[in-house]
Amino acid sequence: MHSDIGKEEAMNLNLLKTYLKLMLIRNKLNYLLIILSIIAGYITVSVVMVYIDNVLILSSESIYPDINYIYIGIRTVLIIGGIILIINQYYNIMKSGLRDYCILKSIGATRINIRILILLQVACLLVISIPVGLYSGYLLSNLIIDSLGSFSLNSETRELIDSTETFFVAAGIAFCVISFSGIYIERGIHKMPLNNILSHQTTVREAGLL
Amino acid sequence: MTMIKSINLRKTYQNTDEFIYALFDCNLEISDGEFVIISGAKKSGKTTLLHLLGGFEKPSGGLIYINNQNISKYDEDELAILRRNEIGFMLHNDSLIPELTVHENIIMPLILAQKKYDENYYVELADQLHISGILNQYPKILTTNQLRSVAYARALINNPNIILMDDPLNDLYHDSDSESLDNLLHIISKYHKTLIMATNNPEFGSYANHIIRLRDGVVVEDRLT
């Protein structure tokens, strides 16, 4: 009997290629979920800003002099909510990969191997999800705002929504959130006793990821 | 030649405010090429002993020598390199990575070590374990027996001196399981590997030439057959 793997194919397998395959196949649904989260976050923040402009600022500026503070507060809450949503999605991705990291550790993956794998996952997320999610969110939110013809828009808000700076600030926030949560989770994995995973007893809490 | 030696090996776990001894003053000597069975009731410490010998856990006390190297003080990365080069660990059946093909799963230890593999040895392993026809398949479509054979192949691919198996047939035992295990034992004996298996299954007693029995973390029997 002969092996059905060709020699050339077998010899071409390398660490980076295998890691990339692992990351891309495993996370295809997760990438979509993160993209959708970013789109939803972007649209929510933009549309709520327009709504606040109309309901609170334009109509009530004379009645509530401190309305700008409320406005900033609501916007902050929305942004924090969006960040939590992304962290939650990212956390679920890492949780789903925990078992595989432990299998790899058991067959000889060093700390560096695991770190590269996690950072590669972060890089894939950054390269795929953030540009696609933010740009789609930007286009869709503009489309929605333009279709709300009956709403008038504060010129500052219009500028903020249209500005490319907003786009890059949002990308920067998403970048920081995903990078720091990646580093945090990677540190947690190394604290985890391998014995627990091998015995199928590990919970994420035990792993120090919470 | 002595392959593994443990001196006063201990492992304790802390449970709220009290310490529990999972293993107490365990002294063992395992020679090159032996088939060792570690038996004992549940929670007797056999898995703990296996994990300590494989460098998956650090002992709370005592010494472990593998090939005359004291591994008790090794750090995480040194233990990972030891596992990569010296030890093949047979995890449970569901320990394959589902996104990788059977072939990629098997050679993963070599990919991690950045080593080229011996193609003749690889083909021989695949043929002996009857997995030559499924190397391009993904684990999700394989039978339990095939998954087990792939896990055996992965444990053996880096040509380790020591193979550790934790209750390899803990689920239902069929004739086909016996066949895949026979194939594994044939390879192990041909390449003169040391096999250490933690199990409750009395059927393996007839294969082994060294039996260690544990009770409550203490070695109560250590005999060559």
Side-chain angles (χ1 to χ4, degrees), chain A residues 16-33:
Chain A
L16 192 64
K17 193 175 158 190
T18 312
Y19 278 179
L20 269 172
K21 182 180 175 189
L22 195 59
M23 290 298 102
L24 292 173
I25 296 181
R26 181 203 292 148
N27 290 322
K28 57 188 180 215
L29 186 65
N30 289 322
Y31 289 130
L32 188 66
L33 286 174

Side-chain angles (χ1 to χ4, degrees), chain B residues 110-125:
Chain B
L110 297 176
I111 293 176
L112 288 169
Q114 297 279 283
K115 278 185 192 168
K116 286 187 177 174
Y117 62 90
D118 177 348
E119 208 202 353
N120 294 332
Y121 178 60
Y122 174 83
V123 171
E124 187 187 345
L125 274 185

Side-chain angles (χ1 to χ4, degrees), chain A residues 26-170:
Chain A
R26 181 203 292 148
N27 290 322
K28 57 188 180 215
L29 186 65
N30 289 322
Y31 289 130
L32 188 66
L33 286 174
I34 288 211
I35 289 171
L36 290 176
S37 306
I38 293 173
I39 293 174
Y42 206 104
I43 292 174
T44 310
V45 171
S46 310
V47 172
V48 168
M49 274 162 71
V50 173
Y51 181 76
I52 291 169
D53 260 11
N54 281 272
V55 174
L56 297 179
I57 298 179
L58 297 178
S59 60
S60 322
E61 206 159 16
S62 55
I63 308 168
Y64 304 108
D66 294 332
I67 200 72
N68 272 329
Y69 295 112
I70 298 171
Y71 183 29
I72 291 167
I74 292 174
R75 201 189 292 178
T76 309
V77 167
L78 282 172
I79 290 170
I80 290 172
I83 290 173
I84 290 171
L85 198 69
I86 297 172
I87 290 179
N88 185 51
Q89 286 296 350
Y90 187 66
Y91 177 74
N92 287 336
I93 290 178
M94 298 305 290
K95 203 169 71 173
S96 67
L98 205 58
R99 181 183 152 274
D100 292 348
Y101 297 132
C102 296
I103 291 170
L104 291 175
K105 269 182 93 174
S106 76
I107 59 173
T110 59
R111 194 178 271 258
I112 296 287
N113 291 137
I114 301 289
R115 187 164 293 168
I116 291 171
L117 198 59
I118 291 171
L119 293 179
L120 200 64
Q121 179 148 332
V122 170
C124 287
L125 278 170
L126 294 176
V127 169
I128 298 171
S129 310
I130 294 182
V132 175
L134 284 181
Y135 194 65
S136 312
Y138 174 78
L139 291 178
L140 281 170
S141 59
N142 272 297
L143 201 70
I144 292 169
I145 291 162
D146 288 343
S147 69
L148 299 173
S150 58
F151 279 78
S152 50
L153 202 59
N154 183 330
S155 61
E156 282 178 22
T157 307
R158 175 84 260 177
E159 212 172 280
L160 200 63
I161 289 170
D162 283 345
S163 134
T164 47
E165 274 175 32
T166 310
F167 181 86
F168 285 113
V169 168

Side-chain angles (χ1 to χ4, degrees), chain B residues 9-186:
Chain B
L9 192 60
R10 291 179 185 200
K11 183 70 188 175
T12 52
Y13 295 104
Q14 193 170 5
N15 188 7
T16 58
D17 54 348
E18 59 171 349
F19 283 97
I20 297 167
Y21 276 99
L23 208 61
F24 188 77
D25 280 356
C26 177
N27 293 294
L28 295 172
E29 218 166 295
I30 295 169
S31 301
D32 191 16
E34 278 187 359
F35 178 6
V36 186
I37 292 278
I38 302 173
S39 66
K42 277 191 174 176
K43 307 265 179 192
S44 60
K46 50 187 194 304
T47 298
T48 303
L49 176 58
L50 202 70
H51 288 171
L52 287 171
L53 297 179
F56 294 103
E57 282 189 87
K58 289 188 177 181
S60 310
L63 303 169
I64 307 170
Y65 290 90
I66 292 184
N67 267 339
N68 294 321
Q69 301 279 318
N70 180 3
I71 67 158
S72 324
K73 302 291 178 200
Y74 275 18
D75 65 22
E76 276 275 317
D77 282 347
E78 287 170 323
L79 287 173
I81 291 165
L82 174 86
R83 284 197 292 273
R84 183 190 283 177
N85 296 326
E86 296 286 335
I87 293 164
F89 195 82
M90 166 66 199
L91 293 157
H92 302 272
N93 298 330
D94 59 350
S95 70
L96 301 179
I97 298 174
E99 292 86 0
L100 301 180
T101 63
V102 165
H103 170 69
E104 289 162 339
N105 267 289
I106 293 172
I107 65 161
M108 200 62 199
L110 297 176
I111 293 176
L112 288 169
Q114 297 279 283
K115 278 185 192 168
K116 286 187 177 174
Y117 62 90
D118 177 348
E119 208 202 353
N120 294 332
Y121 178 60
Y122 174 83
V123 171
E124 187 187 345
L125 274 185
D127 287 347
Q128 286 277 343
L129 294 166
H130 305 298
I131 52 172
S132 302
I134 55 165
L135 293 173
N136 280 327
Q137 309 285 348
Y138 284 88
K140 65 182 174 190
I141 62 161
L142 303 184
T143 64
T144 309
N145 202 35
Q146 285 172 325
L147 290 172
R148 190 172 291 140
S149 295
V150 175
Y152 290 157
R154 186 179 64 185
L156 287 162
I157 191 68
N158 57 351
N159 214 350
N161 289 318
I162 302 160
I163 313 288
L164 302 176
M165 300 173 90
D166 189 5
D167 221 352
L169 306 178
N170 57 352
D171 40 7
L172 290 175
Y173 187 82
H174 299 294
D175 286 346
S176 57
D177 295 333
S178 167
E179 191 190 326
S180 66
L181 189 68
D182 283 342
N183 294 333
L184 174 76
L185 293 178
H186 175 75

